[in-house]
Amino acid sequence: MKIVVIGGTGLIGSKTVSRLRDKGHEVIAASPNSGVDTITGEGLAEALSGASVVIDLANSPSFEGDAAMEFFRTAGHNLLKAGIEAGVGHHIALSVVGTERLQDSGYFRAKLAQEQLIQASGIPFTIVHSTQFFEFMGAIAKSAAVGDSIRLSPAFIQPIASDDVADVMAETALAQPVNGTIEIAGPEKLRLNEIVAHFLKLTNDPHQVVADPQARYFGVELNDASLVPAGKARIGRIDFEDWLAPQLARA
């Protein structure tokens, strides 16, 4: 089966491509560097020709609301149009747990617009809602740093390892479309401020994390339901300590 992975050279994309190739499938790791650009449309028709499945893992290079909206609307329109013309039988997109609950954020309004384009396209689809990745704990800390302190919400988060996400994306590509959304999350529900503080301590970062219920996350004030699955979710196998141990060993 031919499978096209948009964003196939990124964190999740490269792992998903590897898993599918190991199973013997023809996989195109599509990105602007490989001549496939969802914004301009360059290379899309050629890449999708004969494809059974498209997996969209591309993310906006900017989290600013208007820029993200322009990215997801333009890329989504171009990719879905090319998919219809190529006769793609399953369109899969990676999105975010809580997208519909985080609409005070321009970025999440853009993600919801992307999902709505997919739902209206007529192509059989599966949207995978994932919780935040362990790999982004450092970036979350950096985005909230002011001087020597980091102000973060004490709301619950249920982060997941990128390897678990890639497993699900590969398995979804080989399954039938659900024409709806599935949710995936890590095995532990943790407080956002506490997991980041623990991560910083273990990585010898001197910043102090301050719990602040009014602290914003991509522009949104959180509650305990914001960043965790709302219903039954597929749970990853890798917990935070198991993920972190090899990172510290390499460091």
Side-chain angles (χ1 to χ4, degrees), residues 189-205:
K189 187 186 288 187
L190 305 160
R191 297 288 181 184
L192 177 59
N193 64 303
E194 291 176 358
I195 188 174
V196 171
H198 184 53
F199 174 81
L200 295 180
K201 180 180 179 180
L202 293 177
T203 55
N204 298 313
D205 188 308

Side-chain angles (χ1 to χ4, degrees), residues 2 11 43 61 69-70 75 85-86 91 96 134 148 151 162 167 170 194-195 235 241 249 251:
K2 180 178 177 180
L11 174 65
M69 184 67 77
E70 178 66 20
E85 292 172 351
H91 184 102
V96 185
F134 289 140
D148 293 331
R151 306 190 77 84
S162 61
D167 285 343
E194 291 176 358
I195 188 174
I235 302 302
E241 297 298 336

